[in-house]
mmCIF file of all heavy atoms in Angstrom:
data_model
loop_
_atom_site.group_PDB
_atom_site.id
_atom_site.type_symbol
_atom_site.label_atom_id
_atom_site.label_comp_id
_atom_site.label_asym_id
_atom_site.label_seq_id
_atom_site.Cartn_x
_atom_site.Cartn_y
_atom_site.Cartn_z
ATOM 1 N N ALA Z 210 -288.649 -45.383 89.864
ATOM 2 C CA ALA Z 210 -289.878 -45.407 90.668
ATOM 3 C C ALA Z 210 -290.754 -44.190 90.385
ATOM 4 O O ALA Z 210 -291.984 -44.268 90.485
ATOM 5 C CB ALA Z 210 -289.525 -45.474 92.152
ATOM 6 N N ALA Z 211 -290.121 -43.068 90.017
ATOM 7 C CA ALA Z 211 -290.869 -41.835 89.771
ATOM 8 C C ALA Z 211 -291.286 -41.671 88.310
ATOM 9 O O ALA Z 211 -291.912 -40.669 87.961
ATOM 10 C CB ALA Z 211 -290.019 -40.631 90.194
ATOM 11 N N ALA Z 212 -290.949 -42.634 87.467
ATOM 12 C CA ALA Z 212 -291.176 -42.481 86.028
ATOM 13 C C ALA Z 212 -292.625 -42.681 85.619
ATOM 14 O O ALA Z 212 -292.975 -42.459 84.465
ATOM 15 C CB ALA Z 212 -290.289 -43.460 85.260
ATOM 16 N N GLY Z 213 -293.467 -43.098 86.550
ATOM 17 C CA GLY Z 213 -294.854 -43.363 86.199
ATOM 18 C C GLY Z 213 -295.034 -44.800 85.752
ATOM 19 O O GLY Z 213 -294.088 -45.585 85.729
ATOM 20 N N PRO Z 214 -296.245 -45.169 85.395
ATOM 21 C CA PRO Z 214 -296.514 -46.567 85.041
ATOM 22 C C PRO Z 214 -295.793 -47.000 83.775
ATOM 23 O O PRO Z 214 -295.887 -46.340 82.741
ATOM 24 C CB PRO Z 214 -298.042 -46.593 84.858
ATOM 25 C CG PRO Z 214 -298.417 -45.179 84.549
ATOM 26 C CD PRO Z 214 -297.449 -44.321 85.305
ATOM 27 N N VAL Z 215 -295.046 -48.080 83.868
ATOM 28 C CA VAL Z 215 -294.388 -48.701 82.720
ATOM 29 C C VAL Z 215 -294.636 -50.203 82.801
ATOM 30 O O VAL Z 215 -294.921 -50.750 83.867
ATOM 31 C CB VAL Z 215 -292.870 -48.412 82.680
ATOM 32 C CG1 VAL Z 215 -292.609 -46.931 82.452
ATOM 33 C CG2 VAL Z 215 -292.173 -48.881 83.955
ATOM 34 N N ARG Z 216 -294.507 -50.884 81.665
ATOM 35 C CA ARG Z 216 -294.783 -52.315 81.642
ATOM 36 C C ARG Z 216 -293.532 -53.168 81.835
ATOM 37 O O ARG Z 216 -293.622 -54.341 82.194
ATOM 38 C CB ARG Z 216 -295.456 -52.696 80.323
ATOM 39 C CG ARG Z 216 -296.811 -52.035 80.115
ATOM 40 C CD ARG Z 216 -297.824 -52.424 81.188
ATOM 41 N NE ARG Z 216 -298.231 -53.803 81.064
ATOM 42 C CZ ARG Z 216 -299.297 -54.226 80.395
ATOM 43 N NH1 ARG Z 216 -300.086 -53.347 79.796
ATOM 44 N NH2 ARG Z 216 -299.606 -55.503 80.345
ATOM 45 N N ALA Z 217 -292.349 -52.586 81.573
ATOM 46 C CA ALA Z 217 -291.096 -53.332 81.718
ATOM 47 C C ALA Z 217 -289.939 -52.346 81.706
ATOM 48 O O ALA Z 217 -290.117 -51.151 81.426
ATOM 49 C CB ALA Z 217 -290.939 -54.370 80.603
ATOM 50 N N LEU Z 218 -288.755 -52.840 82.027
ATOM 51 C CA LEU Z 218 -287.524 -52.046 82.018
ATOM 52 C C LEU Z 218 -286.491 -52.740 81.143
ATOM 53 O O LEU Z 218 -286.242 -53.942 81.298
ATOM 54 C CB LEU Z 218 -286.969 -51.899 83.438
ATOM 55 C CG LEU Z 218 -285.529 -51.378 83.572
ATOM 56 C CD1 LEU Z 218 -285.428 -49.928 83.108
ATOM 57 C CD2 LEU Z 218 -285.019 -51.523 85.013
ATOM 58 N N TYR Z 219 -285.891 -51.999 80.222
ATOM 59 C CA TYR Z 219 -284.727 -52.466 79.460
ATOM 60 C C TYR Z 219 -283.505 -51.752 80.017
ATOM 61 O O TYR Z 219 -283.498 -50.516 80.120
ATOM 62 C CB TYR Z 219 -284.886 -52.158 77.969
ATOM 63 C CG TYR Z 219 -283.597 -52.316 77.173
ATOM 64 C CD1 TYR Z 219 -283.205 -53.559 76.693
ATOM 65 C CD2 TYR Z 219 -282.773 -51.217 76.932
ATOM 66 C CE1 TYR Z 219 -282.020 -53.703 75.976
ATOM 67 C CE2 TYR Z 219 -281.589 -51.348 76.220
ATOM 68 C CZ TYR Z 219 -281.213 -52.591 75.742
ATOM 69 O OH TYR Z 219 -280.037 -52.741 75.050
ATOM 70 N N VAL Z 220 -282.466 -52.494 80.365
ATOM 71 C CA VAL Z 220 -281.314 -51.894 81.034
ATOM 72 C C VAL Z 220 -280.031 -52.599 80.613
ATOM 73 O O VAL Z 220 -280.024 -53.788 80.270
ATOM 74 C CB VAL Z 220 -281.497 -51.966 82.577
ATOM 75 C CG1 VAL Z 220 -281.465 -53.406 83.061
ATOM 76 C CG2 VAL Z 220 -280.469 -51.114 83.309
ATOM 77 N N GLN Z 221 -278.934 -51.843 80.612
ATOM 78 C CA GLN Z 221 -277.610 -52.367 80.271
ATOM 79 C C GLN Z 221 -276.671 -52.150 81.464
ATOM 80 O O GLN Z 221 -275.942 -51.162 81.495
ATOM 81 C CB GLN Z 221 -277.053 -51.641 79.050
ATOM 82 C CG GLN Z 221 -277.921 -51.661 77.811
ATOM 83 C CD GLN Z 221 -277.371 -50.754 76.739
ATOM 84 O OE1 GLN Z 221 -276.466 -51.109 76.000
ATOM 85 N NE2 GLN Z 221 -277.896 -49.540 76.672
ATOM 86 N N PRO Z 222 -276.672 -53.035 82.437
ATOM 87 C CA PRO Z 222 -275.871 -52.783 83.641
ATOM 88 C C PRO Z 222 -274.362 -52.940 83.429
ATOM 89 O O PRO Z 222 -273.577 -52.321 84.152
ATOM 90 C CB PRO Z 222 -276.378 -53.834 84.629
ATOM 91 C CG PRO Z 222 -277.622 -54.406 84.017
ATOM 92 C CD PRO Z 222 -277.463 -54.251 82.555
ATOM 93 N N THR Z 223 -273.953 -53.759 82.486
ATOM 94 C CA THR Z 223 -272.523 -54.057 82.302
ATOM 95 C C THR Z 223 -272.035 -53.511 80.969
ATOM 96 O O THR Z 223 -272.568 -53.863 79.914
ATOM 97 C CB THR Z 223 -272.272 -55.571 82.372
ATOM 98 O OG1 THR Z 223 -272.788 -56.074 83.614
ATOM 99 C CG2 THR Z 223 -270.786 -55.875 82.284
ATOM 100 N N LEU Z 224 -271.042 -52.625 81.019
ATOM 101 C CA LEU Z 224 -270.465 -51.994 79.831
ATOM 102 C C LEU Z 224 -271.564 -51.361 78.970
ATOM 103 O O LEU Z 224 -271.771 -51.701 77.812
ATOM 104 C CB LEU Z 224 -269.632 -53.003 79.035
ATOM 105 C CG LEU Z 224 -268.465 -53.635 79.822
ATOM 106 C CD1 LEU Z 224 -267.685 -54.604 78.945
ATOM 107 C CD2 LEU Z 224 -267.539 -52.580 80.394
ATOM 108 N N HIS Z 225 -272.251 -50.441 79.586
ATOM 109 C CA HIS Z 225 -273.382 -49.750 78.977
ATOM 110 C C HIS Z 225 -273.004 -49.139 77.629
ATOM 111 O O HIS Z 225 -271.913 -48.587 77.461
ATOM 112 C CB HIS Z 225 -273.850 -48.642 79.932
ATOM 113 C CG HIS Z 225 -274.983 -47.825 79.433
ATOM 114 N ND1 HIS Z 225 -274.807 -46.749 78.593
ATOM 115 C CD2 HIS Z 225 -276.312 -47.917 79.647
ATOM 116 C CE1 HIS Z 225 -275.971 -46.202 78.316
ATOM 117 N NE2 HIS Z 225 -276.914 -46.896 78.950
ATOM 118 N N ASN Z 226 -273.910 -49.266 76.684
ATOM 119 C CA ASN Z 226 -273.754 -48.635 75.378
ATOM 120 C C ASN Z 226 -274.738 -47.464 75.296
ATOM 121 O O ASN Z 226 -275.943 -47.677 75.358
ATOM 122 C CB ASN Z 226 -274.074 -49.656 74.279
ATOM 123 C CG ASN Z 226 -273.947 -49.074 72.881
ATOM 124 O OD1 ASN Z 226 -273.339 -48.047 72.663
ATOM 125 N ND2 ASN Z 226 -274.539 -49.769 71.910
ATOM 126 N N PRO Z 227 -274.239 -46.197 75.265
ATOM 127 C CA PRO Z 227 -272.930 -45.766 74.809
ATOM 128 C C PRO Z 227 -271.920 -45.383 75.899
ATOM 129 O O PRO Z 227 -270.783 -45.043 75.582
ATOM 130 C CB PRO Z 227 -273.277 -44.503 74.032
ATOM 131 C CG PRO Z 227 -274.389 -43.888 74.832
ATOM 132 C CD PRO Z 227 -275.215 -45.062 75.306
ATOM 133 N N LEU Z 228 -272.304 -45.365 77.165
ATOM 134 C CA LEU Z 228 -271.448 -44.752 78.189
ATOM 135 C C LEU Z 228 -270.241 -45.602 78.556
ATOM 136 O O LEU Z 228 -269.263 -45.081 79.092
ATOM 137 C CB LEU Z 228 -272.276 -44.455 79.447
ATOM 138 C CG LEU Z 228 -273.451 -43.493 79.248
ATOM 139 C CD1 LEU Z 228 -274.230 -43.327 80.542
ATOM 140 C CD2 LEU Z 228 -272.960 -42.142 78.747
ATOM 141 N N GLY Z 229 -270.301 -46.903 78.323
ATOM 142 C CA GLY Z 229 -269.173 -47.780 78.648
ATOM 143 C C GLY Z 229 -269.009 -48.057 80.124
ATOM 144 O O GLY Z 229 -267.993 -48.599 80.541
ATOM 145 N N THR Z 230 -269.998 -47.700 80.951
ATOM 146 C CA THR Z 230 -269.890 -47.850 82.399
ATOM 147 C C THR Z 230 -270.496 -49.173 82.864
ATOM 148 O O THR Z 230 -271.294 -49.793 82.159
ATOM 149 C CB THR Z 230 -270.611 -46.692 83.108
ATOM 150 O OG1 THR Z 230 -271.953 -46.607 82.607
ATOM 151 C CG2 THR Z 230 -269.905 -45.374 82.833
ATOM 152 N N THR Z 231 -270.123 -49.591 84.084
ATOM 153 C CA THR Z 231 -270.635 -50.819 84.680
ATOM 154 C C THR Z 231 -271.247 -50.503 86.033
ATOM 155 O O THR Z 231 -270.618 -49.868 86.882
ATOM 156 C CB THR Z 231 -269.518 -51.867 84.827
ATOM 157 O OG1 THR Z 231 -269.072 -52.260 83.512
ATOM 158 C CG2 THR Z 231 -269.998 -53.098 85.575
ATOM 159 N N MET Z 232 -272.476 -50.951 86.245
ATOM 160 C CA MET Z 232 -273.213 -50.685 87.468
ATOM 161 C C MET Z 232 -272.596 -51.463 88.633
ATOM 162 O O MET Z 232 -272.429 -52.682 88.541
ATOM 163 C CB MET Z 232 -274.678 -51.103 87.273
ATOM 164 C CG MET Z 232 -275.602 -50.764 88.416
ATOM 165 S SD MET Z 232 -277.313 -51.346 88.109
ATOM 166 C CE MET Z 232 -277.821 -50.229 86.803
ATOM 167 N N PRO Z 233 -272.246 -50.801 89.741
ATOM 168 C CA PRO Z 233 -271.654 -51.503 90.877
ATOM 169 C C PRO Z 233 -272.676 -52.381 91.593
ATOM 170 O O PRO Z 233 -273.890 -52.182 91.462
ATOM 171 C CB PRO Z 233 -271.163 -50.370 91.777
ATOM 172 C CG PRO Z 233 -271.995 -49.195 91.405
ATOM 173 C CD PRO Z 233 -272.325 -49.342 89.963
ATOM 174 N N PRO Z 234 -272.209 -53.361 92.378
ATOM 175 C CA PRO Z 234 -273.127 -54.290 93.049
ATOM 176 C C PRO Z 234 -274.180 -53.602 93.918
ATOM 177 O O PRO Z 234 -275.342 -54.003 93.914
ATOM 178 C CB PRO Z 234 -272.186 -55.159 93.891
ATOM 179 C CG PRO Z 234 -270.890 -55.129 93.156
ATOM 180 C CD PRO Z 234 -270.795 -53.748 92.579
ATOM 181 N N ARG Z 235 -273.784 -52.576 94.660
ATOM 182 C CA ARG Z 235 -274.744 -51.913 95.545
ATOM 183 C C ARG Z 235 -275.915 -51.325 94.756
ATOM 184 O O ARG Z 235 -277.081 -51.429 95.165
ATOM 185 C CB ARG Z 235 -274.035 -50.817 96.353
ATOM 186 C CG ARG Z 235 -274.948 -50.033 97.290
ATOM 187 C CD ARG Z 235 -275.543 -50.931 98.362
ATOM 188 N NE ARG Z 235 -276.411 -50.193 99.262
ATOM 189 C CZ ARG Z 235 -275.994 -49.552 100.355
ATOM 190 N NH1 ARG Z 235 -274.689 -49.551 100.664
ATOM 191 N NH2 ARG Z 235 -276.847 -48.923 101.120
ATOM 192 N N ARG Z 236 -275.627 -50.720 93.603
ATOM 193 C CA ARG Z 236 -276.683 -50.147 92.780
ATOM 194 C C ARG Z 236 -277.584 -51.254 92.222
ATOM 195 O O ARG Z 236 -278.799 -51.078 92.105
ATOM 196 C CB ARG Z 236 -276.070 -49.302 91.651
ATOM 197 C CG ARG Z 236 -277.071 -48.737 90.649
ATOM 198 C CD ARG Z 236 -278.112 -47.815 91.275
ATOM 199 N NE ARG Z 236 -277.533 -46.657 91.925
ATOM 200 C CZ ARG Z 236 -277.178 -45.529 91.314
ATOM 201 N NH1 ARG Z 236 -277.356 -45.400 90.004
ATOM 202 N NH2 ARG Z 236 -276.674 -44.524 91.994
ATOM 203 N N ARG Z 237 -277.002 -52.379 91.881
ATOM 204 C CA ARG Z 237 -277.810 -53.501 91.384
ATOM 205 C C ARG Z 237 -278.771 -53.990 92.470
ATOM 206 O O ARG Z 237 -279.924 -54.334 92.173
ATOM 207 C CB ARG Z 237 -276.899 -54.636 90.899
ATOM 208 C CG ARG Z 237 -276.050 -54.239 89.692
ATOM 209 C CD ARG Z 237 -275.116 -55.351 89.224
ATOM 210 N NE ARG Z 237 -274.180 -54.828 88.246
ATOM 211 C CZ ARG Z 237 -273.963 -55.333 87.031
ATOM 212 N NH1 ARG Z 237 -274.615 -56.418 86.651
ATOM 213 N NH2 ARG Z 237 -273.100 -54.783 86.212
ATOM 214 N N GLU Z 238 -278.287 -54.029 93.694
ATOM 215 C CA GLU Z 238 -279.156 -54.438 94.808
ATOM 216 C C GLU Z 238 -280.311 -53.447 94.980
ATOM 217 O O GLU Z 238 -281.467 -53.852 95.181
ATOM 218 C CB GLU Z 238 -278.342 -54.529 96.094
ATOM 219 C CG GLU Z 238 -277.307 -55.650 96.092
ATOM 220 C CD GLU Z 238 -276.377 -55.576 97.285
ATOM 221 O OE1 GLU Z 238 -276.515 -54.608 98.075
ATOM 222 O OE2 GLU Z 238 -275.513 -56.452 97.428
ATOM 223 N N GLU Z 239 -279.998 -52.159 94.916
ATOM 224 C CA GLU Z 239 -281.041 -51.141 95.060
ATOM 225 C C GLU Z 239 -282.062 -51.249 93.937
ATOM 226 O O GLU Z 239 -283.286 -51.160 94.166
ATOM 227 C CB GLU Z 239 -280.405 -49.750 95.060
ATOM 228 C CG GLU Z 239 -279.503 -49.469 96.254
ATOM 229 C CD GLU Z 239 -278.743 -48.170 96.110
ATOM 230 O OE1 GLU Z 239 -278.877 -47.531 95.032
ATOM 231 O OE2 GLU Z 239 -278.010 -47.790 97.037
ATOM 232 N N LEU Z 240 -281.579 -51.441 92.706
ATOM 233 C CA LEU Z 240 -282.482 -51.549 91.561
ATOM 234 C C LEU Z 240 -283.353 -52.800 91.671
ATOM 235 O O LEU Z 240 -284.547 -52.764 91.350
ATOM 236 C CB LEU Z 240 -281.679 -51.566 90.259
ATOM 237 C CG LEU Z 240 -282.488 -51.641 88.960
ATOM 238 C CD1 LEU Z 240 -283.457 -50.467 88.856
ATOM 239 C CD2 LEU Z 240 -281.547 -51.661 87.756
ATOM 240 N N ALA Z 241 -282.773 -53.898 92.148
ATOM 241 C CA ALA Z 241 -283.549 -55.122 92.329
ATOM 242 C C ALA Z 241 -284.688 -54.902 93.313
ATOM 243 O O ALA Z 241 -285.800 -55.416 93.117
ATOM 244 C CB ALA Z 241 -282.638 -56.256 92.807
ATOM 245 N N GLY Z 242 -284.434 -54.128 94.362
ATOM 246 C CA GLY Z 242 -285.493 -53.830 95.320
ATOM 247 C C GLY Z 242 -286.613 -53.017 94.718
ATOM 248 O O GLY Z 242 -287.793 -53.266 94.980
ATOM 249 N N VAL Z 243 -286.266 -52.046 93.869
ATOM 250 C CA VAL Z 243 -287.278 -51.196 93.258
ATOM 251 C C VAL Z 243 -288.130 -51.980 92.262
ATOM 252 O O VAL Z 243 -289.366 -51.875 92.256
ATOM 253 C CB VAL Z 243 -286.624 -49.980 92.573
ATOM 254 C CG1 VAL Z 243 -287.630 -49.231 91.702
ATOM 255 C CG2 VAL Z 243 -286.047 -49.034 93.618
ATOM 256 N N VAL Z 244 -287.502 -52.789 91.403
ATOM 257 C CA VAL Z 244 -288.304 -53.524 90.415
ATOM 258 C C VAL Z 244 -289.176 -54.581 91.095
ATOM 259 O O VAL Z 244 -290.269 -54.888 90.610
ATOM 260 C CB VAL Z 244 -287.411 -54.157 89.326
ATOM 261 C CG1 VAL Z 244 -286.693 -53.083 88.532
ATOM 262 C CG2 VAL Z 244 -286.423 -55.156 89.894
ATOM 263 N N ALA Z 245 -288.719 -55.100 92.239
ATOM 264 C CA ALA Z 245 -289.564 -56.035 92.989
ATOM 265 C C ALA Z 245 -290.782 -55.312 93.542
ATOM 266 O O ALA Z 245 -291.912 -55.826 93.475
ATOM 267 C CB ALA Z 245 -288.759 -56.683 94.109
ATOM 268 N N ARG Z 246 -290.567 -54.112 94.085
ATOM 269 C CA ARG Z 246 -291.679 -53.337 94.640
ATOM 270 C C ARG Z 246 -292.672 -52.933 93.551
ATOM 271 O O ARG Z 246 -293.884 -52.919 93.771
ATOM 272 C CB ARG Z 246 -291.141 -52.094 95.337
ATOM 273 C CG ARG Z 246 -292.193 -51.322 96.114
ATOM 274 C CD ARG Z 246 -291.583 -50.261 96.988
ATOM 275 N NE ARG Z 246 -291.093 -49.115 96.249
ATOM 276 C CZ ARG Z 246 -289.822 -48.791 96.107
ATOM 277 N NH1 ARG Z 246 -288.871 -49.544 96.662
ATOM 278 N NH2 ARG Z 246 -289.454 -47.720 95.411
ATOM 279 N N LEU Z 247 -292.154 -52.643 92.331
ATOM 280 C CA LEU Z 247 -293.013 -52.249 91.220
ATOM 281 C C LEU Z 247 -293.569 -53.448 90.457
ATOM 282 O O LEU Z 247 -294.389 -53.268 89.549
ATOM 283 C CB LEU Z 247 -292.227 -51.358 90.245
ATOM 284 C CG LEU Z 247 -291.700 -50.027 90.789
ATOM 285 C CD1 LEU Z 247 -290.839 -49.337 89.735
ATOM 286 C CD2 LEU Z 247 -292.851 -49.123 91.209
ATOM 287 N N ASP Z 248 -293.121 -54.651 90.807
ATOM 288 C CA ASP Z 248 -293.519 -55.874 90.107
ATOM 289 C C ASP Z 248 -293.260 -55.733 88.614
ATOM 290 O O ASP Z 248 -294.125 -55.975 87.766
ATOM 291 C CB ASP Z 248 -294.989 -56.190 90.371
ATOM 292 C CG ASP Z 248 -295.367 -57.591 89.897
ATOM 293 O OD1 ASP Z 248 -294.469 -58.445 89.807
ATOM 294 O OD2 ASP Z 248 -296.563 -57.830 89.620
ATOM 295 N N LEU Z 249 -292.025 -55.356 88.274
ATOM 296 C CA LEU Z 249 -291.676 -54.969 86.914
ATOM 297 C C LEU Z 249 -290.776 -56.017 86.255
ATOM 298 O O LEU Z 249 -289.734 -56.380 86.805
ATOM 299 C CB LEU Z 249 -290.944 -53.627 86.964
ATOM 300 C CG LEU Z 249 -290.930 -52.753 85.722
ATOM 301 C CD1 LEU Z 249 -292.344 -52.359 85.318
ATOM 302 C CD2 LEU Z 249 -290.083 -51.513 86.000
ATOM 303 N N PRO Z 250 -291.115 -56.516 85.071
ATOM 304 C CA PRO Z 250 -290.189 -57.364 84.323
ATOM 305 C C PRO Z 250 -288.980 -56.547 83.873
ATOM 306 O O PRO Z 250 -289.110 -55.366 83.520
ATOM 307 C CB PRO Z 250 -291.003 -57.833 83.123
ATOM 308 C CG PRO Z 250 -292.428 -57.570 83.479
ATOM 309 C CD PRO Z 250 -292.412 -56.389 84.390
ATOM 310 N N VAL Z 251 -287.803 -57.173 83.870
ATOM 311 C CA VAL Z 251 -286.568 -56.502 83.475
ATOM 312 C C VAL Z 251 -285.952 -57.254 82.298
ATOM 313 O O VAL Z 251 -285.822 -58.481 82.337
ATOM 314 C CB VAL Z 251 -285.562 -56.434 84.636
ATOM 315 C CG1 VAL Z 251 -284.260 -55.776 84.187
ATOM 316 C CG2 VAL Z 251 -286.158 -55.681 85.819
ATOM 317 N N ILE Z 252 -285.565 -56.516 81.265
ATOM 318 C CA ILE Z 252 -284.832 -57.071 80.129
ATOM 319 C C ILE Z 252 -283.396 -56.596 80.261
ATOM 320 O O ILE Z 252 -283.102 -55.411 80.082
ATOM 321 C CB ILE Z 252 -285.441 -56.609 78.796
ATOM 322 C CG1 ILE Z 252 -286.916 -57.003 78.721
ATOM 323 C CG2 ILE Z 252 -284.662 -57.198 77.622
ATOM 324 C CD1 ILE Z 252 -287.679 -56.284 77.616
ATOM 325 N N GLU Z 253 -282.497 -57.500 80.614
ATOM 326 C CA GLU Z 253 -281.085 -57.149 80.815
ATOM 327 C C GLU Z 253 -280.300 -57.473 79.552
ATOM 328 O O GLU Z 253 -280.238 -58.616 79.118
ATOM 329 C CB GLU Z 253 -280.498 -57.916 81.991
ATOM 330 C CG GLU Z 253 -279.013 -57.618 82.199
ATOM 331 C CD GLU Z 253 -278.383 -58.400 83.331
ATOM 332 O OE1 GLU Z 253 -279.061 -59.279 83.899
ATOM 333 O OE2 GLU Z 253 -277.204 -58.131 83.657
ATOM 334 N N ASP Z 254 -279.683 -56.460 78.968
ATOM 335 C CA ASP Z 254 -278.850 -56.632 77.781
ATOM 336 C C ASP Z 254 -277.421 -56.923 78.233
ATOM 337 O O ASP Z 254 -276.735 -56.061 78.775
ATOM 338 C CB ASP Z 254 -278.901 -55.359 76.934
ATOM 339 C CG ASP Z 254 -278.242 -55.526 75.574
ATOM 340 O OD1 ASP Z 254 -277.419 -56.445 75.422
ATOM 341 O OD2 ASP Z 254 -278.547 -54.732 74.667
#
Side-chain angles (χ1 to χ4, degrees):
V215 294
R216 297 299 290 266
L218 166 67
Y219 167 84
V220 67
Q221 304 172 81
T223 304
L224 301 181
H225 179 276
N226 179 17
L228 300 177
T230 53
T231 295
M232 186 182 290
R235 179 63 180 273
R236 175 60 60 83
R237 295 179 190 233
E238 293 171 357
E239 294 172 356
L240 181 58
V243 169
V244 297
R246 188 169 73 249
L247 298 175
D248 192 24
L249 203 61
V251 178
I252 303 165
E253 178 182 6
D254 189 339

